[in-house]
């Protein structure tokens, strides 16, 4: 330590404690430094060691070694076969025959012993009619069968009681009396079905749109109507009335066709006659044909002025007959009666007619898909053809009343998306 020379203090006063005192001052360099924050300093980077040219395993990270090892094992393993996500459909069981009506109902007990109907079949005539209609619907809608191919225990039909009586050649009171007789045996249960409609003043009103018939298809089963059957809506009554699809119109048309057939000395097709109904007048046979279409699609009957059998439809004849949207609406029910080999050409002709009538030639394939989807819904128990016919009928009316409508095809597509 560097020493500073001594200096002499002044003498003290006599008697005082004076003297020479050595004053030592510490070196400035030995003073403690004031601590300062190092937060403002940047951390110094540690130089990385170069691994270039080094092949030592210790230079490779352990996680990378494990990943490379796993990748090599996966490459050495042969690829597994792809799993089919969509399983093949199992073949549907063959439909089993439905028991005959004689096994479902004692027909002899229904014969009246006395009165005006003595000697006749009585209520058995109504049972035969409903049995034929139920089998017709079951043939067109195989999805209603059970998984093992057997027929359901019962089938619910939405029909017009007025048309049923006309098809039987009797009045409505007699048909209703026979209905009650069949209800006593458990073969049948019938109830009036209600829906709502819009009146001319614009108010909604509850009205009758038909009658529900639960028909037995299995022995010892008592037919009954459930709440779902009664609550379900089978018709769009506003659209049916606007299109003229009413029971009164069906009966009137059948009678006109009967008069025309009698004048031409012709008879209805033998295949379309109701079994055991050869004694009925021609008008009743015509109503029965309309009733078969109504049973498949409630409210629908053939209004097509083309009296052509779809089973013998030629593409040339159909193309000449179908020219307007209304013609397609009338021809839609024919899909259920057409032979399977004639159904696809008939749909193609109807799609071409819609594309031509709506000035939408480039969308012919879309119209084909539209009609096919409606037919598929029909086979699965939904009213696909009726819904499509209602939309086409509504569009045809709008085209006549809405003169400024530029693209009716676009309007149809928008309504179908919203439906």
């Amino acid at each position: 330590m560097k020493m500073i020379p001594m200096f002499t203090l002044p003498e003290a006063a006599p008697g005082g404690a004076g003297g020479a005192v050595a004053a030592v001052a510490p070196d400035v360099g030995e003073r403690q430094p004031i601590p300062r924050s190092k937060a403002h300093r940047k951390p110094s980077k540690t130089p990385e060691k170069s691994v270039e040219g080094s092949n030592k395993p210790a230079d490779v990270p352990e996680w990378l070694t494990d990943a490379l090892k796993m990748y090599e094992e996966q490459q050495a393993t042969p690829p597994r076969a792809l799993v089919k996500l969509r399983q093949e459909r199992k073949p549907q069981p063959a439909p089993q025959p439905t028991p005959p009506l004689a096994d479902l109902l004692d027909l002899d007990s229904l014969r009246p012993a006395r009165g005006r109907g003595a000697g006749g079949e009585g209520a058995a005539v109504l049972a035969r009619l409903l049995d034929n209609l139920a089998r017709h619907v079951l043939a067109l809608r195989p999805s209603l069968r059970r998984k093992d191919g057997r027929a359901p225990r019962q089938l619910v039909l939405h029909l017009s009681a007025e048309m049923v009586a006309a098809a039987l050649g009797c009045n409505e009171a007699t048909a209703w009396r026979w209905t009650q007789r069949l209800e006593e045996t458990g073969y049948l249960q019938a109830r009036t079905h209600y829906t709502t409609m819009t009146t001319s003043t614009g108010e909604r009103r509850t009205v009758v749109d038909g009658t529900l018939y639960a028909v037995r298809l299995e022995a010892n089963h008592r037919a009954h109507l459930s709440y779902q059957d009664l609550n379900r809506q089978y018709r769009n009554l506003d659209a049916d009335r606007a299109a003229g699809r009413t029971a009164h119109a069906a009966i009137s048309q059948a009678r006109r066709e009967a008069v025309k057939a009698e004048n031409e000395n012709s008879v209805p097709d033998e295949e379309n006659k109701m079994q055991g109904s050869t004694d009925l007048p021609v008008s009743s046979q015509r109503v029965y044909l309309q009733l078969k279409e109504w049973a498949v699609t409630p409210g629908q009957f053939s209004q097509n002025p083309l009296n052509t059998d779809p089973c013998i439809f030629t593409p040339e004849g159909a193309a000449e007959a179908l020219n307007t949207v209304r013609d397609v609406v009338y021809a839609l029910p024919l899909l259920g009666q057409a032979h399977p080999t004639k159904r696809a050409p008939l749909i193609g002709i109807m799609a071409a007619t819609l594309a031509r009538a709506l000035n939408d030639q480039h969308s012919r394939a879309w119209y084909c898909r539209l009609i096919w989807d409606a037919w598929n819904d029909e086979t699965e128990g939904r009213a696909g053809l009726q819904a499509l016919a209602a939309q086409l009928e509504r569009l045809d009316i709008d085209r006549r009343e809405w003169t400024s409508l530029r693209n009716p095809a676009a309007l149809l597509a928008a309504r179908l998306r919203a439906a």
Side-chain angles (χ1 to χ4, degrees), residues 277-294:
S277 61
T278 55
D279 296 335
L280 292 178
V282 178
S283 60
S284 297
Q285 295 289 348
R286 295 287 181 177
V287 174
Y288 170 70
L289 297 181
Q290 305 285 20
L291 200 58
K292 288 177 65 177
E293 298 184 18
W294 189 297

Side-chain angles (χ1 to χ4, degrees), residues 350-362:
M350 288 191 290
T353 302
L354 289 177
R356 183 173 59 255
L358 298 178
N359 195 19
D360 193 19
Q361 296 286 355
H362 63 281

Side-chain angles (χ1 to χ4, degrees), residues 15-296:
V21 180
V24 181
D27 192 356
V28 178
E30 293 183 358
R31 294 179 181 178
Q32 297 296 328
I34 301 175
R36 295 183 179 181
S37 173
K38 297 182 180 181
H40 65 282
R41 297 184 181 181
K42 295 183 179 180
S44 59
K45 295 183 178 180
T46 304
E48 299 179 355
K49 296 181 180 181
S50 176
V51 295
E52 184 178 358
S54 177
N55 295 327
K56 296 180 181 180
D59 296 336
V60 182
E62 184 177 357
W63 62 269
L64 181 58
T65 304
D66 296 340
L68 292 174
K69 184 177 180 181
M70 184 179 299
Y71 176 75
E72 292 175 357
E73 293 177 354
Q74 292 178 353
Q75 292 297 322
T77 306
R80 294 181 297 177
L82 297 178
V83 180
K84 292 184 178 180
L85 298 180
R86 186 175 181 179
Q87 299 179 354
E88 298 181 357
R89 289 186 176 182
K90 297 181 180 180
Q92 295 293 334
Q96 301 182 17
T98 307
L101 180 60
D103 295 345
L104 302 175
L105 183 64
D106 186 5
L107 299 176
D108 293 335
S109 63
L110 300 176
R111 297 179 181 274
R114 58 182 181 275
R116 293 183 58 185
E121 290 187 299
V125 177
L126 175 59
R128 201 181 304 278
L129 170 66
L130 296 176
D131 183 72
N132 289 336
L133 294 177
R135 294 172 190 273
H136 173 68
V137 173
L138 193 60
L140 294 181
R141 294 182 177 176
S143 60
L144 298 177
R145 290 183 174 272
R146 287 181 270 189
K147 294 182 179 180
D148 56 358
R150 292 184 299 164
R153 292 183 174 86
Q154 67 176 24
L155 198 64
V156 178
L157 302 175
H158 181 285
L159 303 173
S160 166
E162 183 181 359
M163 292 179 65
V164 170
L168 295 175
C170 64
N171 55 43
E172 294 185 45
T174 302
W176 185 248
R177 187 172 64 254
W178 287 346
T179 300
Q180 294 177 333
R181 180 70 180 89
L182 293 176
E183 284 187 342
E184 295 174 358
T185 63
Y187 173 78
L188 173 69
Q189 186 178 20
R191 292 291 183 273
T192 304
H193 187 265
Y194 297 90
T195 187
T196 56
M197 60 167 285
T198 305
T199 62
S200 57
T201 59
E203 61 176 345
R204 300 294 292 176
R205 186 177 178 184
T206 302
V207 294
V208 176
D209 69 339
T211 304
L212 292 181
Y213 296 88
V215 183
R216 176 199 295 169
L217 291 178
E218 185 179 85
N220 301 325
H221 172 74
R222 189 172 187 86
H224 66 281
L225 291 169
S226 64
Y227 172 79
Q228 288 76 14
D229 297 330
L230 296 170
N231 193 45
R232 179 184 172 188
Q233 293 301 313
Y234 297 85
R235 300 176 60 187
N236 184 348
L237 199 56
D238 292 337
D240 288 349
R241 291 174 66 248
R245 295 189 297 267
T246 60
H248 177 73
I251 296 174
S252 300
Q253 178 180 338
R255 288 173 178 171
R256 288 194 301 268
E257 293 177 354
V259 172
K260 181 180 178 181
E262 291 176 354
N263 294 335
E264 296 177 355
N265 296 324
S266 61
V267 294
D269 186 5
E270 293 293 336
E271 295 182 358
N272 291 327
K273 280 187 178 181
M274 183 177 65
Q275 185 179 6
S277 61
T278 55
D279 296 335
L280 292 178
V282 178
S283 60
S284 297
Q285 295 289 348
R286 295 287 181 177
V287 174
Y288 170 70
L289 297 181
Q290 305 285 20
L291 200 58
K292 288 177 65 177
E293 298 184 18
W294 189 297
V296 177

